[in-house]
Amino acid sequence: MATYVLIPGAGCDPWYWHPVADDLRGRGHEVVAVDLPCEDPAAGLAEYTDTVVDAIGDRTDLVVVAHSLGGFTAPLVCARIPVDLLVLLEAMIPKPGETLADWWAATGQAQARREQAERDGRTVGDLWDDFLHDVPPDLAAGLRERDREQSDGPSHQPWPLDAWPDVPTRVLIGSDDRLFPAGFMRRVARERLGITPDEIPAGHMPMLSRPAELAERLESYRTALSGE
């Protein structure tokens, strides 16, 4: 069986992975939901990477799943230790030398978000609207209760790799994502990795809104790679 390593997005407690983590454990896998030092302004990409590697310990057969901001950390983990598969889940895809702060303008995210809202016939809401529009109310309330401050610690450090690590990589996006619209993510994944993403009918938080579908998709990637 595999070890799934779940790397969170900005300001997120590992709790928000629990529906999909429970599903994966029910399939016999080990799950490591990483608690990043997101509130520590002294913690940057190196410290985030160290935290993930330390949480993994001596586990093997690793499937690393990175959500949103986790896309900046996950490839650094893959450059440090052997990883069987990397899944970018609605994740930011950095370029060598790019900072997190620069990523937004470099990719055109704000314009893409605004244009998607116009196509949907709505105004751009706050981030909670973008995050939680398709999440069940009880889980949405739980996420709000666990909201953590995301420090600027990793924001101004150039992404340190010269190239994407040599690890099988899949990109999975939400067809209803309001923060990172599907068309925007298709373009970024194609331009930066040469990958055509797969899609799941979900917003930005499929681990809460579509956990069973997400677990099934992750398992399909793993079994396709392993030949099971």
Side-chain angles (χ1 to χ4, degrees):
M1 291 290 103
T3 296
Y4 280 90
V5 181
L6 309 179
I7 302 177
C12 284
D13 189 286
W15 173 91
Y16 87 139
W17 287 109
H18 81 269
V20 71
D22 289 346
D23 190 309
L24 293 169
R25 291 188 180 103
R27 298 168 187 256
H29 301 298
E30 188 168 5
V31 177
V32 178
V34 182
D35 188 6
L36 292 178
C38 65
E39 296 165 309
D40 182 357
L45 293 175
E47 288 74 21
Y48 283 31
T49 304
D50 288 344
T51 298
V52 178
V53 171
D54 289 346
I56 292 170
D58 60 359
R59 297 176 178 88
T60 58
D61 303 314
L62 304 177
V63 178
V64 173
V65 184
H67 179 237
S68 201
L69 176 59
F72 265 73
T73 300
L76 306 181
V77 174
C78 296
R80 287 263 304 270
I81 60 175
V83 171
D84 294 340
L85 174 65
L86 170 59
V87 181
L88 299 174
L89 176 63
E90 298 168 315
M92 303 169 78
I93 302 172
K95 292 173 63 174
E98 183 175 62
T99 68
L100 170 61
D102 289 339
W103 181 92
W104 304 92
T107 58
Q109 182 271 342
Q111 180 179 349
R113 181 186 179 207
R114 182 174 60 253
E115 290 175 349
Q116 184 63 52
E118 292 172 354
R119 285 192 292 271
D120 294 343
R122 55 181 175 81
T123 59
V124 175
D126 66 20
L127 286 178
W128 283 117
D129 291 335
D130 285 349
F131 290 160
L132 302 176
H133 68 93
D134 65 336
V135 174
D138 59 330
L139 294 177
L143 186 63
R144 284 177 177 271
E145 290 172 1
R146 291 166 174 80
D147 182 35
R148 302 165 70 189
E149 175 129 3
Q150 174 62 52
S151 79
D152 287 336
S155 294
H156 302 287
Q157 301 170 338
W159 195 67
L161 297 184
D162 294 328
W164 201 257
D166 185 17
V167 58
T169 303
R170 303 289 183 269
V171 179
L172 181 59
I173 64 177
S175 57
D176 299 320
D177 193 335
R178 295 180 177 180
L179 183 67
F180 296 160
F184 162 77
M185 289 301 294
R186 290 188 208 104
R187 172 176 59 80
V188 172
R190 181 179 65 251
E191 291 176 352
R192 297 192 166 202
L193 294 178
I195 291 176
T196 299
D198 297 315
E199 297 188 29
I200 190 170
H204 196 64
M205 298 286 186
M207 66 287 292
L208 294 174
S209 64
R210 298 286 188 277
E213 293 92 329
L214 176 55
E216 187 62 33
R217 189 64 64 96
L218 295 176
E219 279 287 83
S220 72
Y221 292 151
R222 183 189 64 83
T223 57
L225 190 67
S226 66
E228 290 183 17

